[in-house]
Amino acid sequence: MPAPNTPATRSIPRPQILTTRAMAAFERFSHIEAVSGIVLMLAAITALVWANSPANATYEAFWHTEVALSIGSITLAQSLHFLVNDGLMTIFFLVVGMEIKQEIQDGSLSNLRMATLPVGAALGGVLVPAAIYLAFNTSATSHGWAVPTATDIAFAVGVLALLGKSIPANLRIFLLALAIIDDIAAIVIIAVFYTSTLDYSGLLIAGAGLGMVFALQRMGIGLAWAYLVPGVIVWSGLLKLGVHPTLAGVVLGLITPVKSMPSHERPVEIMSKAFNELLHRLDRDQKAIASPLKQIRVAEREVMPPVLRVQQSLHPWVAFLIMPLFALANAGVDLGGTRFDNSEVVHIVSGVVTALVLGKPVGVMLATFILVRLGLCKLPDHVTWGGVALVGLLAGIGFTMSIFIAGLAFNDAQQLAAAKLSVLGASTMAAVLGVLWGVVYIRRKGRVA
């Protein structure tokens, strides 16, 4: 057995060097905010091309392929579409829940005065688009009123990042806070307005899962995998209850601890002692160093609070796998099958596009103006009205959340296709308008400076 303190070698295989460099480059690349938005857009374009290609029949067939899990006489079978929309998207909502918890704890929602502006602006960005949609739609299609009320955080922030470092940091924070509150509004809307008949026995199942989560937290179990089974129980309970099961992610995110596991010593002190112990044991065999290495790993985990640690661990998976998969599974609209001679389709398209492209910026600007005029809050430092207009335009990028709500709002295939097509078109228009206005905004800001 080689000694654990074997000296480092200077001869490192070239494949290892190339792999290390590639992984480091990917790590840097994945943290560029604009990249996740680009990947999301590419996934949506792929879905559209696939659904309108000669192989379009395979699009629906693939996503409705059943995946089954059998244990003895028990068989669980669901389509790939269900697994993405109701399964994987739970992880997306888990991250959203953690972001909300973090903002409430020490971010822009941590006190009333700081929260007034983004909350008011977000509500304006929900109410005005909803009113515009309802103005275009009769009772037959009015249930889609919530589709244009949402904002896609990743896409909106990604587009803002394309404008470079000339954008004030406070403007990005304002957009993030507004988008998070938009998510809260969307979550409430899903729970209240798009819930089927309730089976209250599901509450007992979800309650049992939450009880297990709280028990594990009280026991000081910090390993994320330990919460997988309780999380699945909460998800199953909400599914049986009749609300959308992805809300389990939000609930679990909101109860994720914002402080590290209680300890008599700080994690860095434990790491320091364990490292010194490791140095003393290096001359022994590998079993002798197992204990201090374990202490270092546990302490290293607890340096960051769970709400941050889990969020950062899941972010690459959500940004580069889950959300692109969702776009691929839901953005494939057959353009030839969308009949614009159908009045209901025309009303949905007109309502969604106008609400996202025009209603969002008008709602955000109007609410912000009223709040500032009444003296209830003021614009953040270095944020001008031109910046507020930019935030309003980017808030019109509904994409992921809007398509998600459309899937809940419309059962009719024609109406759902029209809603999805509208969201894709309106989100693209909002992004283009946002970039164009952003360039003008930066130039004006440069002249003033």
Side-chain angles (χ1 to χ4, degrees), residues 382-393:
H382 310 297
V383 174
T384 64
W385 287 106
V388 176
L390 176 58
V391 167
L393 286 167

Side-chain angles (χ1 to χ4, degrees), residues 47 50 55-67 78-84 325 328-330:
W50 186 3
N56 60 350
T58 63
Y59 180 81
E60 289 294 331
F62 177 76
W63 291 111
H64 286 88
T65 302
E66 276 205 345
V67 178
Q78 291 291 350
S79 68
L80 281 173
H81 193 270
F82 176 89
L83 293 177
V84 171
L325 269 178
L328 192 61
N330 291 274

Side-chain angles (χ1 to χ4, degrees), residues 177-446:
L178 184 147
I180 287 171
I181 296 158
D182 249 11
D183 279 345
I184 296 173
I187 290 161
V188 172
I189 288 168
I190 291 168
V192 175
F193 296 100
Y194 296 110
T195 294
S196 56
T197 305
L198 298 178
D199 179 352
Y200 289 101
S201 63
L203 279 176
L204 296 176
I205 298 171
L210 288 175
M212 292 174 66
V213 171
F214 287 124
L216 289 171
Q217 288 178 353
R218 290 291 294 173
M219 290 165 62
I221 305 297
L223 194 64
W225 289 106
Y227 294 86
L228 181 60
V229 171
V232 170
I233 293 173
V234 175
W235 183 91
S236 303
L238 293 186
L239 180 64
K240 186 171 181 58
L241 176 63
V243 301
H244 205 276
T246 53
L247 294 176
V250 180
V251 174
L252 294 169
L254 288 173
I255 63 174
T256 302
V258 293
K259 294 182 179 179
S260 297
M261 184 172 59
S263 174
H264 293 297
E265 294 180 287
R266 293 186 303 167
V268 288
E269 293 171 349
I270 296 173
M271 289 172 67
S272 178
K273 289 181 179 178
F275 184 73
N276 289 331
E277 183 67 21
L278 178 66
L279 292 176
H280 284 109
R281 296 187 182 188
L282 276 178
D283 291 330
R284 307 179 197 177
D285 61 22
Q286 290 183 351
K287 292 182 180 178
I289 64 173
S291 177
L293 281 175
K294 183 179 179 181
Q295 291 177 38
I296 290 171
R297 283 196 298 270
V298 173
E300 180 188 19
R301 185 186 69 204
E302 294 302 320
V303 169
M304 293 179 68
V307 74
L308 273 175
R309 185 175 71 244
V310 178
Q311 191 182 145
Q312 289 190 7
S313 298
L314 291 176
H315 176 264
W317 295 99
V318 170
F320 297 103
L321 179 66
I322 293 173
M323 290 178 68
L325 269 178
F326 175 83
L328 192 61
N330 291 274
V333 180
D334 183 0
L335 301 178
T338 307
R339 296 180 56 187
F340 287 96
D341 57 344
N342 184 322
S343 61
E344 291 181 355
V345 167
V346 173
H347 290 157
I348 291 171
V349 172
S350 302
V352 172
V353 172
T354 308
L356 280 173
V357 177
L358 180 64
K360 272 287 186 181
V362 168
V364 169
M365 287 284 290
L366 185 61
T368 303
F369 177 78
I370 292 172
L371 289 170
V372 171
R373 192 66 181 237
L374 291 176
L376 297 175
C377 59
K378 63 177 183 177
L379 294 182
D381 293 339
H382 310 297
V383 174
T384 64
W385 287 106
V388 176
L390 176 58
V391 167
L393 286 167
L394 296 180
I397 304 174
F399 202 55
T400 307
M401 193 66 85
S402 289
I403 290 177
F404 188 85
I405 294 174
L408 301 176
F410 296 105
N411 294 319
D412 180 83
Q414 277 285 316
Q415 293 180 359
L416 178 57
K420 287 182 177 180
L421 186 60
S422 306
V423 170
L424 291 171
S427 296
T428 303
M429 291 169 64
V432 171
L433 289 172
V435 170
L436 292 175
W437 176 249
V439 172
V440 174
Y441 169 72
I442 291 169
R443 286 179 179 173
R444 287 183 175 180
K445 185 169 165 287

Side-chain angles (χ1 to χ4, degrees), residues 95-175:
V95 173
V96 170
M98 290 179 182
E99 288 174 345
I100 294 170
K101 179 70 174 281
Q102 192 180 342
E103 289 298 315
I104 291 173
Q105 179 67 22
D106 56 10
S108 56
L109 306 180
S110 58
N111 67 64
L112 185 61
R113 186 163 182 82
M114 286 177 65
T116 300
L117 181 62
V119 168
L123 289 177
V126 168
L127 295 175
V128 173
I132 288 175
Y133 179 89
L134 290 172
F136 278 94
N137 287 268
T138 60
S139 57
T141 53
S142 61
H143 46 278
W145 62 270
V147 172
T149 62
T151 298
D152 187 309
I153 295 180
F155 222 136
V157 174
V159 172
L160 187 68
L162 290 174
L163 295 170
K165 296 181 179 180
S166 298
I167 297 296
N170 281 342
L171 193 65
R172 180 184 176 279
I173 293 169
F174 180 35
L175 176 61

